[in-house]
Amino acid sequence: MPDLPQHRPVLAGTAHNVTGPGIRLEALPEGHLLHVLGGTEPAALAAELTKAGFAESSIRQAGFRQWFVAGDAPLSSAGLETLTAALAGKAFVMDQSHGRVRIGISGRSARLLLSKGTAVDLDPAVFQENSSAMTMIGHISVQIARTGDDSFELTVLRSFAESLWDELKDMAAGAEG
């Protein structure tokens, strides 16, 4: 019997957490990531997410009338079907769970670390909690979301996750402060 492909988290070969004075890098669970495109508003999307079993997911703007729905729980096909049916005619839902990876960055030096790689103004007065932006860190396209006072989440294409992880580790070596 031929071997079947096995899911392996992309950052499984690396240390899941890198901590140092003022910095914590964390490979987040490869739960679910949905890309929603269309004429629905975040409040209406949140209501439909709750009905479909995604109440713990976060909604992040990814462009004009585009959102990423991210969460730690594995994607259920029933939940995806429920959400897709509820948004039919208003928005399209695309599963990106196997194509993107999330990395958490937290600590008092998190903004300093990220400022080394992106031009996004991460000052809390400008880039508030629950804000998100598509940007580049070095040559890698990422979505950056502020998840707390000193915490951020980066969403990156799966094929670039290891490169981004290595780049973040290198930047973290000089970010403590």
Side-chain angles (χ1 to χ4, degrees):
M1 175 176 219
D3 290 335
L4 297 175
Q6 299 292 317
H7 176 75
R8 179 185 74 83
V10 72
L11 294 175
T14 64
H16 286 284
N17 300 318
V18 174
T19 58
I23 289 289
R24 177 181 170 91
L25 299 178
E26 181 180 10
L28 297 174
E30 291 188 17
H32 63 271
L33 186 77
L34 305 175
H35 192 181
V36 179
L37 297 98
T40 188
E41 296 300 320
L45 178 55
E48 296 302 339
L49 287 169
T50 299
K51 291 178 197 172
F54 297 105
E56 299 298 316
S57 301
S58 63
I59 301 171
R60 293 140 184 204
Q61 189 161 10
F64 178 69
R65 291 186 165 185
Q66 295 184 50
W67 296 269
F68 280 141
V69 174
D72 293 344
L75 181 65
S76 75
S77 56
L80 180 59
E81 289 172 12
T82 300
L83 182 63
T84 301
L87 295 175
K90 297 176 236 168
F92 296 96
V93 180
M94 293 171 288
D95 178 16
Q96 298 288 304
S97 304
H98 292 77
R100 297 184 192 254
V101 173
R102 297 176 304 130
I103 298 172
I105 303 173
S106 59
R108 70 177 188 278
S109 298
R111 281 193 308 135
L112 177 61
L113 179 146
L114 289 170
S115 70
K116 292 179 176 189
T118 184
V120 173
D121 186 349
L122 299 172
D123 186 279
V126 177
F127 197 74
Q128 300 172 356
E129 193 170 333
N130 298 319
S131 294
S132 63
M134 297 301 293
T135 186
M136 302 287 284
I137 293 186
H139 70 285
I140 302 170
S141 177
V142 300
Q143 182 192 48
I144 183 170
R146 183 179 219 116
T147 58
D149 221 18
D150 288 323
S151 59
F152 300 85
E153 193 173 291
L154 304 179
T155 303
V156 62
L157 288 171
R158 183 179 194 83
S159 58
F160 289 107
E162 288 176 324
S163 292
L164 179 62
W165 182 264
D166 290 341
E167 193 164 336
L168 291 169
K169 282 193 330 185
D170 291 345
M171 291 182 339
E176 293 95 14

